[in-house]
Amino acid sequence: MRTQRLFIASLASAALVLAGCSQGGTNNEETAKPTETQTADEGETTGGTAEKPAPFDQEVRVAVVQQSGQGDYFQQYLNGTKQQAEALGMKLDVYDAQGNNATQATQLDQAIASGVDAIIVRHGQTDTLCPGVNDALAKDIAVIIYDVEIQSCAPDAIQTQQSDAIMASLVLDQMVKDIGTDQKVGYVNVLGIAPLDRRHAVWEEYKKTNNWDELFFTGTYTNSSATDTAPMVVSALQANGDVVAIYAPYDELTKGTLSAIEQVKGAKSDIKVYGADISTADIELMIAENSSWKATGATDPNAIGAAVVRTLALSMAGQLDTKKVEFPPILITQDFLRENNITNMDELRAKEPALNIADTSSADWIPSVKF
């Protein structure tokens, strides 16, 4: 329980730190640095023996325009992005909107004006990003999107994403196995965000099929989602003491849920929690004594960040034959982690090689970063 209690204490201090973060700014990599609980993973570079095609026979400038750099998932994603970009000889500029959608749109305009060759747009809102994405494309700047539904308004952009429907199904299958049908459940999610919307659609199906009684639906998406969600779940639990399980399909929401459960129910609560995403910090929470977090659906965010860069490279070289690339998730259970004595991401990768997608979006001229 020491890990969980330290986490709860860290939520309060994180709130103070984040309260001092500006919502403005242009190129701010400081917010994307790993926290003390999430060290940067070092990948291994393989391949890339063939001659590089144009435009990679010279320096390529790429901008990452991200909606937020906070949280384990986003920090790992950026880490993979940076390492793959370096392997390809790209010059990378990082813009962090710190959870502000209007700022992200402004930063996208700034990236276009800076004269970059390509832009990676990571998360955000369709309506605020589409004008800038189309402007970039009109200026012959390559654009690749991660986890924003944007192809309906910007069909020439490359769309990449996790297979969110599969991710949700894997976890909810485990939830059905664990709690059965006709149960009272809670739901912690935020709509209007592409990956969370896709997971929500699956939740609605499972809720109906299994006759689950959804006692509450709460949560918020901010630059400090775990900290800001926790009191919302506290209120929901205080009003609905007979909930047996909660689905929180984003690890920052899962963390806020765990904090709330311990505050309301204590260290030995029998509420089961089902989440999404994985990191070393997440693993520590899942394997902690009396942890409520029973299963998560996940990819390796480091590997995803690298794969998106490789997909962009193939597109810029005229070697990508699709406009949409999806990355498959796996199911990770608390029992699996404990039975295999897994305490960090390196140990998880060793036991689950499916997390390695270094062969996805690759070619003999691309030096692929493997985690």
Side-chain angles (χ1 to χ4, degrees), residues 15 23 44 57 62 67 93 105-106 134 140 147-148 165 170 190 196 216 231 286 297 322 324 327:
Q23 289 294 318
E44 175 187 356
D57 51 354
V62 178
Q67 201 266 354
D93 297 322
T106 298
N134 282 315
D140 293 323
D147 264 351
V148 186
L170 289 171
V190 182
L196 300 184
F216 61 82
M286 288 184 73
T322 181
K324 187 174 184 178
F327 310 111

Side-chain angles (χ1 to χ4, degrees), residues 39-55:
T39 56
D41 293 300
E42 187 65 34
E44 175 187 356
T45 303
T46 60
T49 57
E51 183 178 352
K52 293 179 181 178

Side-chain angles (χ1 to χ4, degrees), residues 31-357:
T31 58
K33 288 183 178 179
T35 63
E36 292 180 1
T37 59
Q38 181 63 52
T39 56
D41 293 300
E42 187 65 34
E44 175 187 356
T45 303
T46 60
T49 57
E51 183 178 352
K52 293 179 181 178
F56 294 94
D57 51 354
Q58 56 187 340
E59 184 180 76
V60 172
R61 288 186 59 205
V62 178
V64 177
V65 180
Q66 58 186 14
Q67 201 266 354
S68 174
Q70 288 295 328
D72 293 337
Y73 183 93
F74 298 149
Q75 290 167 3
Q76 290 181 95
Y77 179 99
L78 185 58
N79 179 58
T81 299
K82 287 180 174 180
Q83 291 190 42
Q84 185 62 70
E86 183 179 1
L88 278 162
M90 293 176 170
K91 183 180 184 298
L92 199 67
D93 297 322
V94 179
Y95 296 79
D96 186 354
Q98 298 182 16
N100 188 310
N101 294 318
T103 297
Q104 188 182 21
T106 298
Q107 290 179 342
L108 178 55
D109 291 339
Q110 291 169 345
I112 294 167
S114 73
V116 294
D117 302 296
I119 299 174
I120 299 171
V121 178
R122 209 223 65 217
H123 295 91
Q125 298 292 322
T126 302
D127 56 349
T128 57
L129 293 173
C130 260
V133 168
N134 282 315
D135 183 31
L137 292 168
K139 291 179 168 61
D140 293 323
I141 299 172
V143 179
I144 190 164
I145 307 295
Y146 182 71
D147 264 351
V148 186
E149 292 293 347
I150 211 166
Q151 284 192 305
S152 61
C153 62
D156 291 330
I158 305 300
Q159 177 82 38
T160 63
Q161 62 194 49
Q162 297 176 113
S163 300
D164 290 290
I166 296 174
M167 176 183 289
S169 294
L170 289 171
V171 174
L172 293 174
D173 282 343
Q174 184 65 42
M175 185 167 162
V176 173
K177 181 179 177 181
D178 291 347
I179 72 169
T181 60
D182 306 305
Q183 298 290 343
K184 295 179 178 180
V185 299
Y187 185 38
V188 182
N189 198 7
V190 182
L191 302 185
I193 301 161
L196 300 184
D197 286 346
R198 292 190 289 265
R199 297 168 200 178
H200 174 71
V202 178
W203 166 253
E204 289 295 310
E205 293 176 7
Y206 273 74
K207 186 175 64 174
K208 181 178 179 180
T209 299
N210 294 284
N211 197 33
W212 287 336
D213 182 9
E214 183 183 286
L215 299 185
F216 61 82
F217 178 4
T218 191
T220 186
Y221 184 83
T222 67
N223 206 38
S224 50
S225 295
T227 304
D228 295 339
T229 292
M232 301 172 72
V233 181
V234 165
S235 296
L237 288 172
Q238 289 171 337
N240 301 279
D242 52 351
V243 66
V244 301
I246 299 173
Y247 181 45
Y250 164 40
D251 65 345
E252 296 303 308
L253 298 178
T254 315
K255 292 173 183 178
T257 300
L258 294 176
S259 171
I261 289 173
E262 183 163 348
Q263 291 178 59
V264 176
K265 296 290 187 177
K268 295 185 178 180
S269 170
D270 57 0
I271 296 176
K272 295 177 170 62
V273 176
Y274 299 83
D277 308 317
I278 197 70
S279 68
T280 292
D282 293 342
I283 291 171
E284 291 173 354
L285 289 170
M286 288 184 73
I287 64 176
E289 183 182 1
N290 299 318
S291 173
S292 295
W293 194 347
K294 302 303 178 184
T296 192
T299 55
D300 181 349
N302 292 280
I304 297 295
V308 170
V309 174
R310 294 195 301 272
T311 304
L312 172 63
L314 286 175
S315 177
M316 295 179 72
Q319 297 179 10
L320 188 69
D321 58 3
T322 181
K323 290 288 187 180
K324 187 174 184 178
V325 178
E326 288 197 341
F327 310 111
I330 64 171
L331 176 68
I332 302 166
T333 66
Q334 182 186 74
D335 287 343
F336 173 81
L337 295 174
R338 288 175 172 173
E339 289 166 3
N340 290 277
N341 297 314
I342 294 171
T343 62
N344 57 52
M345 285 297 294
D346 284 339
E347 293 170 355
L348 178 61
R349 294 184 189 105
K351 289 290 185 180
E352 284 288 2
L355 289 172
N356 171 36
I357 54 172

